[in-house]
Amino acid sequence: MKKSNFVSLLLGTFSGVLFALGMCMVLIPEWNSFQPGLVFGCAGILLGGATVLIWRRMEHKQPIHISGKSILSAVVGVIGALALGIGMCFCMVWDKMAFGIDVGLVGIVILLCLIPLTKGIKN
């Protein structure tokens, strides 16, 4: 394993744990820890962004260039993930199984649209 991959593995894992712990602290009202959870969640997000920058620097790659296609891909990914999550909430939390499955399938289809959007369609 290359040094850059190992460093990104450690930093990515740590940032994911920080973000997950922060979101649990924010979203579970019994813990009464909204503000510290917000701090942990934001620290996880910032460390995740730093991980990407550190890995790209260690691999001697060019900085990320933001284009319309990358913004569209990010927006489609967020919408698809939200639709999938809302569908799961309809099924598991609100006991609306049929509607939840429909919304979840729409989210999956939106996420599948990311493949041709990012890779393109070739012969």
Side-chain angles (χ1 to χ4, degrees):
M1 176 180 273
K2 291 173 36 178
K3 182 179 177 182
S4 61
N5 290 339
F6 182 68
V7 169
S8 65
L9 173 78
L10 291 178
L11 288 174
T13 302
F14 188 65
S15 67
V17 168
L18 269 179
F19 179 73
L21 179 63
M23 291 302 98
C24 287
M25 291 168 72
V26 166
L27 295 173
I28 299 175
E30 290 85 13
W31 288 11
N32 293 325
S33 56
F34 182 84
Q35 288 179 336
L38 201 58
V39 171
F40 274 111
C42 290
I45 290 173
L46 291 175
L47 187 59
T51 300
V52 172
L53 296 176
I54 291 169
W55 179 79
R56 290 186 71 82
R57 184 86 182 230
M58 289 178 79
E59 289 287 319
H60 305 292
K61 293 184 181 260
Q62 295 295 323
I64 298 172
H65 298 288
I66 298 175
S67 66
K69 184 178 178 182
S70 63
I71 292 172
L72 178 66
S73 298
V75 168
V76 170
V78 166
I79 290 171
L82 284 173
L84 182 59
I86 289 170
M88 290 175 62
C89 286
F90 271 110
C91 290
M92 296 170 35
V93 176
W94 299 316
D95 292 326
K96 304 218 185 278
M97 187 66 72
F99 186 68
I101 290 172
D102 293 341
V103 173
L105 285 175
V106 168
I108 290 171
V109 168
I110 292 172
L111 290 173
L112 285 174
C113 289
L114 280 173
I115 297 170
L117 181 65
T118 57
K119 298 292 182 184
I121 297 174
K122 299 175 183 150
N123 291 337

